[in-house]
Amino acid sequence: MSADLQNFKLGMRRLAAGVCLITTRCADGSRRGLTATAVCSVSASPPTLLCCINRSNSSYDAIRTAGHFAVNVLSLEDRPLADLFARAVAPDEKFAAGLWYTRGGGAPLLESALAAFDCRVSQDVAVGTHGILFGEIHAVRIREAGGKPLLYAHGAYGGFASYVEASELESLWIPSWDYEPT
């Protein structure tokens, strides 16, 4: 028996996640990309990550065909790019914003990203509506200047505050484990 779809979606909206741009360069030189939150590490040896992409998204087939992709971890300042890459607009319009460069794999890397992972597709697994793309990481670029990660939860973008920062602002409430709501 499957979980109730509405409650599944509501539950997943409560799972805060980092916001990334997944990008690729096609054989004809065109670029494709999308906004994603379903990205995580898989292994340190060999360095591998995964991302989950709806198979109906045109970027999914483009990444599979190209055989390589980049994961660009966004900062709070990159929020306009997250919105842009989440919309159904022409690929050229998406890449008109931001400063982009490439490394050995050829996928577009965002200059302002907190981290950018240049990956080769090592495996592709279809599960329901989505494809899970495993990427063997060939290069990583870490932004030297500080920045706060862009997060997504409850259907909105936000940022991270450490426990110390939040308690100084008196904006964080953490109940004890024996807390019983009234």
Side-chain angles (χ1 to χ4, degrees), residues 59-124:
S59 294
Y60 173 73
D61 282 332
I63 292 167
R64 290 178 63 226
T65 302
H68 61 268
F69 64 96
V71 173
N72 299 279
V73 180
L74 300 184
S75 70
L76 284 170
E77 296 81 23
D78 293 321
R79 159 112 193 247
L81 286 171
D83 287 332
L84 180 61
F85 274 70
R87 293 197 323 255
V89 298
D92 289 343
E93 187 177 333
K94 291 180 179 183
F95 289 95
L99 297 175
W100 299 92
Y101 69 99
T102 58
R103 284 220 170 139
L109 302 167
L110 180 64
E111 183 68 36
S112 62
L114 294 176
F117 300 90
D118 197 8
C119 305
R120 179 189 61 78
V121 176
S122 61
Q123 193 172 359
D124 176 17

